[in-house]
Amino acid sequence: MLAVIAGALAARRAQGLTVLLLAVLASAAAAAAPMYVTAAGQALASHELAAAEPDERRLRLSSIAEYPGMPADPGVAAFRGLIEPFAAAGFDVVLGAQASGVAAGPAGTVTSNLVFRQGICERVALTGACPASTSEGQRPEVMISASTAAHLGVTAGGEVTFAKVPLRVVGVYRPLDPADPFWLGDEYLLPPAPGTAPVFAVGSAQDAIFTAESSRLADEDAILQRPTADLFITEELVRTGSAEELKGILAAAVRNAVAERLGAGTALPSLLDRVTVQRGQLAAGVTLGAGLLVLLCWLVLFVAVSSAADERRPEQGLLLLRGVQRWRLWTLAIGEHAAPALAAIPLGGLAGLAAADLLAAHTLTGDAGLTLNAAAIGYATVAAAGALTAVLLAQARTLSAPVVDLLRRVPARARGWRTSIGDVVAVSVAAAAIVQLRAGGSPTGLALLAPVVAVLAVGALLARVALLSGAAVGAALLARGRTRAGLALVQVGRQPRFRPLIALLTVVVAMLAFTAATRELAMAAYADRATVDVGAPRVIGVDAMSREHLLGAVRATDPEGRFAMAVVATNTTSRSNTAVLAVDSDRLGTVAAPHPSYGVALTDIARTLRPDPPAAPVLLQGRLLTVTVTASYDEDAFAGYAPRLFVHVAARSGTRQVSVIGEKGNTLTPGRAEYHVPVPECEPQCRLVKFEVNTPVNPLPLQVRFEELRSGDQDTVRMTGAELAHAERWRTPGRRNDVSLSGTGGSDPALVLDVPDGRRPEPIPIAVADTPDPLPAWLTRSMGTNLGSIRYDGIDSLPANALVAGSAHRLPRLGETGMVIDLEYADRLAAGGQTGTKEVWLGRAAPADVLDRLRAQGLVVRYDRTIAAVRQDLRRQGPALALGFNLFAALAGVLIGAAGLVATAAADQRNRAATLVALRRQGLPERAIRGGYGWPVAVATAAGGLATVAIWVLARDGQRLFSDGRSPVPVPAWPEVDRLLAVMVPAVVVFAVTAVVLGRVLVASVRRRTGR
């Protein structure tokens, strides 16, 4: 039997080579999937680790108790035993200790931390030396940052004190990599306080002071230090470790730390959860693409081998007539194809490694480090076994058919329910998958396969229709004398082997179109989300002393408003559920990135956010403010509850309430008097926010007349009585019904506040009406489209009202829910604290040194985001990587489809050539000989287009494009046709060229055999 099998392999070399190549392709696709998933999963983990916050990278263990003495290596600390599992698992363990106190130098003092930390000397550039251990009686050695050295006025070799303990400065350091997790964000390199230009871009005068092992102090109790241990997860551990095992170690450590009365804190599980979720999404998507590729290989094998088996039917019929047992034929079939299937396992593994390495080089960053592992070999084996199974199934009908059927030149057409059972099963599975997919939620199980099974079902049905219609149309054409097309259609329609070929090509065309369309929409969705989420081409998160400081600094950096805009953003709250974006509205249309999903031009929004206010702001200059006030009330009746006066001013440092100073402090005395207000922040300039009269008890009416306002060293009159008397320049927020504010003219003009008798525990504000109230605002349409008043939480976290000026579908940064208002007006109305995230939005015209300009204005840079970087981050997540693999698999499927077309034609050509030779000798013209191979291509192209549209309508909403499932912008309903055609046209051209070549080969064969 072995000799017979060897002879069969030698005699049917072409078929054996076809089985080998297709089995290698299937094994390569199966082997490439786990290797690519591993490499891409590691790249995902590295990316998530690089983007993680410091607390998400480590577990911090700390002693609750403090110990006297200099900070030192806590080798005997109670948590020493807790770190052993982490060291064994591969964590980086950094031991340390730190003490808080005041450091003093020749030029000043600073509150800082004295720290011992392992590995510090390797992470800094030093002027001088690294601290070393000292002996009894020597002063402990320390190194300080360049910012601290400049503030304290000391250099290497000088001296400072910490908690009054003398220390010798042996080095001045600068961090080599401030982004290194070792520095724990800003824990050791503290950002400077906003308001003054920093000495250096990194750190401040409060940077940590580092020391080494030191001997005992003369007074050990002068410094109290707390031992710490930071356990950092390494990139290698995140890339290759088990998330569940790592979370188990963390949970056990936290429990043990609590039992040992130690502190433990970490956000590392959130990082591990994100990595796990994205790896799962990646694996599901890649498995789908690889599975489709393997399935196509099996289908091509089935088509090719079944076609070849049909050609050998008479041969097998004669063998059975001569008494050869069927089991011997089965043995021959298994042996003949087992050899190439077994050879495909190692070859497919190596080919899969090359393919995965090529794909990783184009989609992943860094060295993927792919290796041929046991999982890849296992999947390759399964694919090869499936290929062998497909081969045997392709021959099952021939090997089990009656002898009479085997001796027929043309196989008998299958009839009855058996011919439809496959279609029924395919349609049923596809319907179940689509229903599950459209049920909502994250697609899992059968829903993940919905596009594939739907295309298979459509392809199978349309292939049946194509054969029936092809035969009918061909017969009609022959009857009309159109032999060229009619003969081709009849010959194709009579061959059952063309049905699986048409289904195969339909699946290839449809899946390529669907995958390319999905990826095209994903790329567009990533760009849309990045644009809306970020809001501007570049966004800088900053710290500022106040909103007024932020506005002033940005305007000073960009006086013309060409590239920078101050922004304060607040998140949603449980009270109002409204996110607020406060912007310097004059610059909104210039700086913010436009997007069609907003439904309105940003310039139109900006135009309505800043109407003229009722009054101009009252600007003050000078360090002293004088208010002339006449108070009228019964002093005896108000005994113990005399009204008091306060003044609120806003400057670069923020808004401050200042008590007036009169004969009795801040108490208003009956009669006319001058009250002084020390306002150093008004040098060089500040803004008057409001007067405030505090009168908790009013047994009798009270009247307060504001007659003059002066400021500056020259006692310059800022507002006369006549100017103060314009009541429209003032407002009393929330007090319109229980107090009276009016202006009097004549010879004694003044602004008059009349308070009726009765208890009013809250202060009475008299604010400058230098802003509209309520503020105009634009809402997203999800919050309603009715113009009117809306209640929201302002940028000071206090309830406020806004007047809706318009509605947009979406707004920058806010997406579908939120409102935008003018920042300067909102700041003038604010009465609470400095809440919200302060940012500077930059347009494309921003200069390269814009960060240095912002720092020079006293802003502290916290983060830097760009639309391009966020878009790139989205492309590095699991769903995007899976889509890249699927597109690669779909393109490979085009080559497999072409191979299936060649295999079917090769099996069909001998009989087809014999028939055409006979017809040619009977007078059939040569132009009628074209083979008809273009018919399956044309049908498959049309069917693939129809199938793509069908599954796109049914399954597009269930495709996972984002790892978190969120997008502030709806994904477009349809891809751009030109880009889709750029992918599809070359694929169809490949099939068309293959069909033309096969037709010419058939013509050449007929020409050789007829001699003409």
Side-chain angles (χ1 to χ4, degrees), residues 836-899:
T837 302
K838 298 179 178 66
E839 294 178 338
V840 179
W841 288 15
L842 301 176
R844 300 189 184 280
D849 64 342
V850 65
L851 295 186
D852 293 333
R853 297 188 187 186
L854 293 174
R855 291 189 181 102
Q857 295 296 325
L859 299 180
V860 178
V861 176
R862 304 292 290 186
Y863 56 81
D864 188 349
R865 299 177 67 203
T866 65
I867 291 177
V870 172
R871 182 173 63 246
Q872 189 63 29
D873 287 343
L874 293 172
R875 291 180 176 180
R876 292 175 179 171
Q877 293 182 351
L881 296 178
L883 283 174
F885 183 91
N886 290 343
L887 183 61
F888 173 81
L891 291 172
V894 174
L895 301 179
I896 296 173

Side-chain angles (χ1 to χ4, degrees), residues 201-223:
V202 176
S204 67
Q206 294 179 311
D207 292 342
I209 300 172
F210 292 97
T211 184
E213 291 282 354
S214 302
S215 61
R216 290 179 57 84
L217 299 174
D219 182 7
E220 288 287 292
D221 293 330
I223 296 177

